[in-house]
Amino acid sequence: MKNSIFFLALLIYTSSYSQISFTTEGFISSGQYNICAVDMNGDYLDDIVSINSTNIQIFYQNPDGTFTEENFTTTPAENMPSWSLAAGDLTGNGFNDLLYGGGSGVTFMMANEDGTQYEEVSFPQFVFSQRTNFVDLNNDGHLDAFVCHDVAPNVYYINDGAGNLEFNQGGIGDFPSGGHYGSVWFDYNNDGLQDMFMAKCGGGIDRRTNQLFKNNGDGTFTDVAVEAGLDNPHQTWSAAAGDFDNDGFMDLMVGVSSFSDGGHALMKNNGDGTFTDITAGSGFDIFSGTSTEHATYDFNNDGYLDIMGNSSTIFLNNGDMTFTPVAAPFSSASIADLNNDGFLDAFRSGTIHYNDGNDNNWIVINTQGVESNRNGIGARVEITSALGTQIRDVRSGEGFRYMSTLNTHFGIGGDTEIDEIVIKWPSGIVDVITNPDINTAHLIIEGQTLSVDENTLTNISLSPNPATSLITINYSENLKGSAVAVYDVMGRTVLRNTLESNSIDVSNLNTGMYFLNLNSNGQTAQLKFIKK
């Protein structure tokens, strides 16, 4: 069934703060769960997804901001998204799949090759699901799934690249009775790997103490919350992760669902693996509203990330790590650009809250992975303008329950040009685009700014990968006498040598991801490997 949708009741909602206002429109949808607004068909226009047990209703956004409805009949879903929903492309076919997080288990709805139907894949294990995410856990270029477990250690599903998923439990949040509520994936230490902050709630102090899991680069994670200063026992269901002061490091606003064990905490990333509590004077210290949902977006396009999710309030970022609370017509919602105008809107419970916008300029970056996962989830996107440098991490699953846009949105205020866009992909590839147009969206395909010429070695690889001690460069010729250099993810040289054979000893390297540059008779190659 396809038809153009129409809208009901119109309400103009204007905040007392002149930079942000919304127009609210009723929206007809037939599903029980209206918690998803994300591009579903690979055209990078955000769509609206409504779910019930035997149907996926998608309102595909058209370039003019209107929508076209299509319904997909499914087998009865064994688990519904009663707690959360995530979206991502598990098979790389250009159509996003869905992950339903229910109170009894997990169900995936997998899009077929041409996006004309969805197949249910459910797992038998009991999972009291809370936040769900799609993320490449082992950095193999395939998108995996992560699910917070409320009453047991967390679970995750490793993807073989064809959408075949393997159930795993433990290793990333192992408290025996759970308390795992809100996982947010972000690169807190700028090493190119996705780390995870775990918002915890309920029970004794040991159960509800928040955790920070550092990605070791080999598929394992270490809780470093104590040394990072994030091991607080706040009753929280979610946290907002973003660079609030545009200093190049991701900060956190740990929002509480109850004041029984302390209030909201604004945590500044010091850039050395630690965070400092700067809540006093920030605006969050005098705010008494609570929420289960906290996320960050630049709603007024001024170049600074705002924070939503507190009792129908948006905290507008003043640019100096202080925030001004303003009333909003929603407290929690899916955030996406639902009329293709460059300003972020909100969708919840059959209602669209359109952002009325202002005169500020903007740019949207849409990421399409090649060696990395198709969505580019885990990529670090940076833009530089007169305002300075802003950063975003592409991630699936913000806040606690809702699924929001995978498109990367930046406001640039009154700046009329952008010097460059830099995308650091999970694969290690870096794309740089100079002087891009503003007030438009750009599709960046991984590696599109790189060139392969006659001086580039081809048909070359490394094994084993991951490696423990000796790594072999697989190439048809003997590489004796060739120059090799190894760099870490921060660009530092950690090994330099002249080859005696096609093998190199990496046993002295620390665990993590590295890049090997090879020069053989004037021809070069760059290869990525992981040291276990």
Side-chain angles (χ1 to χ4, degrees):
M1 169 182 169
K2 290 186 178 181
N3 61 276
S4 296
I5 66 158
F6 59 93
F7 297 96
L8 298 175
L10 176 68
L11 171 67
I12 305 296
Y13 183 98
T14 304
S15 163
S16 59
Y17 193 84
S18 62
Q19 279 194 299
I20 187 168
S21 63
F22 295 88
T23 296
T24 296
E25 294 185 357
F27 187 88
I28 297 175
S29 60
S30 61
Q32 180 182 1
Y33 296 96
N34 296 280
I35 56 175
C36 181
V38 68
D39 169 38
M40 290 295 291
N41 59 353
D43 65 359
Y44 298 98
L45 296 172
D46 288 320
D47 309 312
I48 291 174
V49 183
S50 183
I51 304 294
N52 66 33
S53 62
T54 58
N55 190 71
I56 299 172
Q57 184 183 38
I58 302 178
F59 297 93
Y60 291 109
Q61 185 180 166
N62 302 310
D64 62 359
T66 63
F67 293 87
T68 299
E69 175 192 354
E70 187 163 354
N71 286 276
F72 301 86
T73 300
T74 69
T75 56
E78 187 170 333
N79 303 287
M80 294 298 289
S82 53
W83 286 98
S84 71
L85 188 148
D89 188 351
L90 289 167
T91 60
N93 63 6
F95 296 93
N96 277 330
D97 310 297
L98 299 173
L99 166 54
Y100 299 173
S104 298
V106 170
T107 288
F108 294 86
M109 286 293 180
M110 309 286 291
N112 67 353
E113 285 302 308
D114 59 2
T116 57
Q117 65 184 44
Y118 288 81
E119 178 184 358
E120 176 189 0
V121 178
S122 293
F123 284 77
Q125 294 86 359
F126 170 75
V127 181
F128 192 159
S129 171
Q130 301 293 302
R131 175 74 262 180
T132 50
N133 311 98
F134 283 113
V135 59
D136 185 355
L137 291 169
N138 54 4
N139 206 39
D140 64 353
H142 308 313
L143 206 57
D144 309 306
F146 179 85
V147 182
C148 292
H149 202 318
D150 189 18
V151 298
N154 291 324
V155 303
Y156 55 96
Y157 303 80
I158 297 297
N159 178 12
D160 68 354
N164 301 306
L165 300 166
E166 179 185 12
F167 173 85
N168 294 267
Q169 185 166 24
I172 320 176
D174 290 340
F175 197 79
S177 66
H180 311 109
Y181 275 63
S183 48
V184 58
W185 293 85
F186 70 114
D187 182 7
Y188 84 96
N189 56 359
N190 289 3
D191 66 354
L193 301 169
Q194 289 291 288
D195 313 296
M196 188 264 283
F197 177 79
M198 173 61 64
K200 304 199 70 185
C201 189
I205 288 179
D206 51 351
R207 184 180 191 268
R208 67 174 185 269
T209 297
N210 295 328
Q211 297 176 292
L212 176 67
F213 290 94
K214 179 182 177 182
N215 190 329
N216 299 319
D218 60 358
T220 66
F221 295 79
T222 302
D223 182 8
V224 295
V226 174
E227 63 191 70
L230 294 174
D231 60 323
N232 59 59
H234 297 190
Q235 294 280 9
T236 179
W237 286 28
S238 63
D243 183 6
F244 300 129
D245 55 357
N246 289 348
D247 69 347
F249 291 92
M250 291 284 183
D251 311 300
L252 275 172
M253 201 293 285
V254 184
V256 298
S257 57
S258 167
F259 281 95
S260 60
D261 294 287
H264 307 294
L266 182 63
M267 307 298 295
K268 177 177 170 55
N269 190 330
N270 300 315
D272 60 359
T274 68
F275 290 75
T276 298
D277 189 336
I278 60 167
T279 311
S282 68
F284 290 104
D285 52 333
I286 58 174
F287 183 71
S288 59
T290 61
S291 178
T292 60
E293 198 87 30
H294 300 89
T296 181
Y297 300 93
D298 185 357
F299 285 101
N300 56 7
N301 281 357
D302 67 349
Y304 293 94
L305 286 168
D306 312 308
I307 298 173
M308 60 157 265
N310 288 282
S311 305
S312 298
T313 303
I314 292 175
F315 276 77
L316 291 179
N317 190 336
N318 301 318
D320 58 0
M321 291 299 267
T322 68
F323 294 78
T324 300
V326 300
F330 55 90
S331 178
S332 54
S334 300
I335 305 301
D337 185 353
L338 296 174
N339 57 358
N340 198 29
D341 68 349
F343 286 83
L344 289 170
D345 313 302
F347 172 72
R348 85 168 258 143
S349 302
T351 301
I352 299 178
H353 304 282
Y354 283 109
N355 190 330
D356 294 329
N358 53 41
D359 292 332
N360 286 336
N361 295 314
W362 52 272
I363 192 169
V364 173
I365 314 301
N366 301 322
T367 49
Q368 182 175 312
V370 178
E371 290 192 26
S372 305
N373 65 86
R374 174 66 180 248
N375 302 108
I377 291 169
R380 169 64 60 88
V381 183
E382 304 175 356
I383 67 163
T384 301
S385 69
L387 272 172
T389 298
Q390 300 181 55
I391 65 174
R392 304 280 192 273
D393 285 344
V394 184
R395 52 188 180 236
S396 170
E398 301 278 349
F400 175 76
R401 187 183 192 204
Y402 292 83
M403 179 64 208
S404 297
T405 183
L406 287 169
N407 303 336
T408 304
H409 172 274
F410 294 90
I412 57 172
D415 289 358
T416 58
E417 60 183 14
I418 292 173
D419 297 328
E420 67 177 14
I421 302 166
V422 177
I423 301 178
K424 301 174 181 177
W425 300 88
S427 66
I429 290 172
V430 177
D431 281 299
V432 180
I433 297 90
T434 57
N435 300 314
D437 293 337
I438 64 171
N439 297 330
T440 190
H442 296 262
L443 172 60
I444 310 300
I445 299 172
E446 183 177 11
Q448 73 176 52
T449 66
L450 306 178
S451 60
V452 177
D453 56 32
E454 61 184 9
N455 294 319
T456 300
L457 293 169
T458 58
N459 299 319
I460 188 169
S461 63
L462 298 176
S463 66
N465 192 2
T468 54
S469 56
L470 200 66
I471 195 165
T472 297
I473 304 171
N474 303 307
Y475 189 58
S476 58
E477 297 179 13
N478 191 318
L479 295 172
K480 182 178 181 180
S482 299
V484 65
V486 176
Y487 303 89
D488 65 14
V489 293
M490 302 298 289
R492 296 171 295 209
T493 305
V494 295
L495 189 154
R496 190 180 295 276
N497 206 346
T498 299
L499 294 178
E500 291 296 325
S501 67
N502 282 31
S503 296
I504 182 171
D505 185 356
V506 296
S507 58
N508 290 329
L509 299 182
N510 294 324
T511 298
M513 183 168 66
Y514 294 91
F515 303 95
L516 184 151
N517 282 5
L518 174 70
N519 189 313
S520 178
N521 297 320
Q523 292 187 299
T524 62
Q526 184 182 77
L527 303 165
K528 181 186 74 172
F529 70 94
I530 292 173
K531 169 63 167 46
K532 292 196 294 187

